[in-house]
Structures are given as C-alpha cells and as structure tokens.
Amino acid sequence: MHHLALNVQHVGKSFASEEPWLKRLRRRNGKVCAVSDVSFQVKRGEIYGILGPNGSGKSTLIRCLATLLIPDAGRIEIFGHDLQRDEKTVKRLINRVSVDAAFFKKLSAMENLLYAARLYGMDGATARKRIREILERLGIKELHQPLEHMSRGMQQKVAIARAFLNSPILLLLDEPTTGLDPRSKREVQEFVLEVREDHDATVLLTTHDMDEADKLCNRVAIIDNGKIIAEDTSQGLKNLIQDRVPNPTLEDVFMELTGKQLVTEEDLVSET
Ligand SMILES: Nc1ncnc2c1ncn2[C@@H]1O[C@H](COP(=O)(O)OP(=O)(O)O)[C@@H](O)[C@H]1O
Ligand SMILES: [Mg+2]
C-alpha cells in the first residue's frame, strides 16, 4: 500500500454565481473562488486537520476529495490512484461523513446501516454480520433503538460507523463535531482517535475548532479564503508566532496570520 494516503496538488474550484449578496465576497468574472491552488499531502495513518473559518472552502475541498465535485484545476491522488482516472478504485478507499448525515431518525442504527449496506450492494446476511462487528468494535450498544432517542454524539458515531461499511482506509470527516454539546464532542473526538488506532485508517477532518485541531491532528493546515496559508504540527504552527505572542493558541496563530478571528460571534450564535 502506498505510503501517501492523499496527494493534493494545486487544486482549485470556483462556482459561477450572480447572487448579489456574493458581490461582497472574493470573486473574479462573476465567479466565487472557493478553493484556490491548494496543495498538501497526508501520510498513511495520520490525522490531518483543515482548520478554517466558515466559508473558507473546507467543505468544497472535502467534496472534491470525495469525488462529489470535479475540481477545475489540479490533481488528486489517493493511495497513489489518480482520482479522475481511477474513480472506481478510489471510491472503495474513501468515505465521507458530513454533519448533515442523512439518517432515518425513526429507525435504529442497525436498520439505518442495513439500508446503507443495501445501497453498497451487500446481501442481508453478510451486512447484518458486518454491522454487528463494526458497531461492537466501535462500542455502540444501542443497536435497536430509534436514532432519535440517541444523543447527537452517539448519532454522529453511527454516521462514522456507517462509513466503515465499505472498509474505507481514508476517512473524510467534514466538521464531525460542529453543533455537538461538549460531552458528545469529546465522545466523538475520542472515537476518531480510536478508529485511527483500531482500523489502521487515515483521517482527514475539517474543523473551525482550534482545540479540536490541537487535540486530534498530527498536522494542521490553516485555510483562509480558499487558500492554505500555513501547515505544520500544532506546535510547529505555534512556534511561528512564539516570539510575538507568549504561549500562543492556534486561534492566535490564525489571527496573527490573517488579521481575523477564527470563530466569530456570529458562528457562536449559530452553533447554539
Ligand atoms: N454550490 C455552490 N455554489 C456557489 N457557491 C458555493 C457553493 N458551495 C460553496 N460555495 C461558496 O464557496 C465558498 C466556500 O464554501 P465552503 O466550502 O462551504 O466553506 P466551509 O465549508 O469552509 O464553510 C463560500 O463562499 C461558499 O458560499
Ligand atoms: Mg463546511
């Protein structure tokens, strides 16, 4: 298996938009440039974080990696396979989990995962066995109660469990803990760490939570306006500004590099 889980080179993605409210945003020829000349590499077994404010291009980037969007520019390789040339192979190697995970809330974890397994073309008996295995290994005991009776953190775990149905080795987690209460947030974070250990998975996650990036990620890329403006270990990023800011946090790093706040009052309000 290739030692580079992910190789992203000069990827760009713009959206056509004539929305008047978008005029305030960066735009060229009526286009919103969501991701611009982004390059980075993720090693096998790493947890790599993309840290950036709302609207910085994180979801667009994840959608490009998940083959849901076609980039306008650049090249993406997953375990050495070109995303566009070997789309079929790549699709077996990756799985994306997003906050807005589509579940049937009245159905149980088992029923939801069986439904997903059918979409993957697995037969019922095989699926049932595999789902038991996955949920057990992930410590999810409530197999048969409706999802709506489970905590949001637990539901998010089920979403991640679903991502293991097709044995992905690169997990794409788009803001896995956004909107969760502190306890659920901690549960999901611990879970991500476990999943990496137990399943030999590589994880790419996006977040606007600097503590999360600090706690979970081996390396962090800071993204702003669709561009990666710095990339290093959390400590390496802090070292960048150590001489100007004593005991810096990643938030300080972001502010020093961009002159902006990472999390705005508005974000805080919309999260509660
Ligand atoms: N389908 C789309 N059509 C037009 N503009 C889009 C679309 N998706 C995202 N954008 C714009 O691209 C930028 C980046 O958005 P997004 O990738 O969702 O950022 P993030 O996930 O970091 O909040 C934003 O300005 C957003 O409005
Ligand atoms: Mg997003």
Side-chain angles (χ1 to χ4, degrees):
M1 184 59 71
H2 212 267
H3 72 285
L4 265 190
L6 186 57
N7 184 11
V8 176
Q9 294 298 323
H10 307 291
V11 163
K13 179 73 190 173
S14 300
F15 296 104
S17 180
E18 294 306 323
E19 294 275 351
W21 61 272
L22 282 171
K23 287 212 170 93
R24 291 185 293 119
L25 297 174
R26 62 203 175 280
R27 35 173 288 173
R28 257 176 259 142
N29 323 321
K31 282 190 164 183
V32 177
C33 186
V35 171
S36 171
D37 196 23
V38 161
S39 302
F40 63 95
Q41 297 182 325
V42 179
K43 282 175 265 184
R44 183 178 181 181
E46 261 191 313
I47 299 184
Y48 188 94
I50 308 269
L51 176 67
N54 278 340
S56 56
K58 301 182 298 297
S59 295
T60 303
L61 182 58
I62 290 258
R63 288 193 192 109
C64 288
L65 300 176
T67 74
L68 298 172
L69 280 177
I70 302 170
D72 316 321
R75 189 162 53 86
I76 299 170
E77 281 173 9
I78 291 181
F79 290 102
H81 299 280
D82 184 88
L83 194 105
Q84 257 153 40
R85 266 203 320 267
D86 295 335
E87 191 176 327
K88 260 196 168 149
T89 312
V90 165
K91 275 193 167 145
R92 281 202 299 270
L93 299 173
I94 57 174
N95 219 322
R96 181 183 75 118
V97 180
S98 77
V99 237
D100 43 81
F103 275 126
F104 300 106
K105 303 277 180 179
K106 304 259 177 225
L107 300 185
S108 69
M110 177 58 95
E111 288 163 331
N112 270 286
L113 293 190
L114 276 172
Y115 177 83
R118 207 172 311 138
L119 295 182
Y120 287 127
M122 295 168 79
D123 73 87
T126 315
R128 220 168 266 277
K129 186 162 169 282
R130 175 128 180 84
I131 292 165
R132 279 230 174 71
E133 248 167 52
I134 297 169
L135 291 177
E136 199 166 299
R137 265 163 91 178
L138 300 181
I140 300 168
K141 294 189 186 71
E142 296 101 330
L143 303 193
H144 300 294
Q145 67 162 294
L147 283 186
E148 63 185 6
H149 295 164
M150 296 165 82
S151 68
R152 294 220 23 218
M154 195 52 90
Q155 291 183 30
Q156 187 66 337
K157 283 195 199 178
V158 175
I160 299 174
R162 177 170 60 182
F164 278 94
L165 275 177
N166 67 343
S167 311
I169 42 185
L170 175 63
L171 262 190
L172 306 171
L173 305 180
D174 194 5
E175 306 218 20
T177 65
T178 294
L180 297 184
D181 61 87
R183 180 165 158 231
S184 305
K185 192 172 234 185
R186 252 194 329 274
E187 277 175 17
V188 169
Q189 289 171 343
E190 275 155 25
F191 185 62
V192 170
L193 289 171
E194 276 170 39
V195 154
R196 196 262 311 257
E197 293 301 311
D198 301 349
H199 293 260
D200 184 27
T202 306
V203 180
L204 178 86
L205 68 86
T206 69
T207 184
H208 61 250
D209 178 335
M210 64 244 157
D211 291 331
E212 178 161 290
D214 223 345
K215 189 165 149 190
L216 292 187
C217 302
N218 302 106
R219 286 188 303 142
V220 176
I222 296 182
I223 188 170
D224 185 38
N225 280 335
K227 289 197 171 71
I228 291 183
I229 54 171
E231 180 214 50
D232 206 332
T233 58
S234 175
Q235 190 53 53
L237 289 171
K238 292 173 188 169
N239 290 346
L240 288 176
I241 63 161
Q242 205 106 40
D243 53 339
R244 279 165 285 164
V245 185
N247 302 319
T249 62
L250 285 182
E251 172 92 58
D252 297 326
V253 177
F254 185 83
M255 279 177 67
E256 282 285 310
L257 295 180
T258 65
K260 290 190 296 202
Q261 262 183 310
L262 185 53
V263 178
T264 61
E265 297 293 324
E266 228 171 278
D267 293 335
L268 290 175
V269 170
S270 66
E271 254 185 63
T272 51

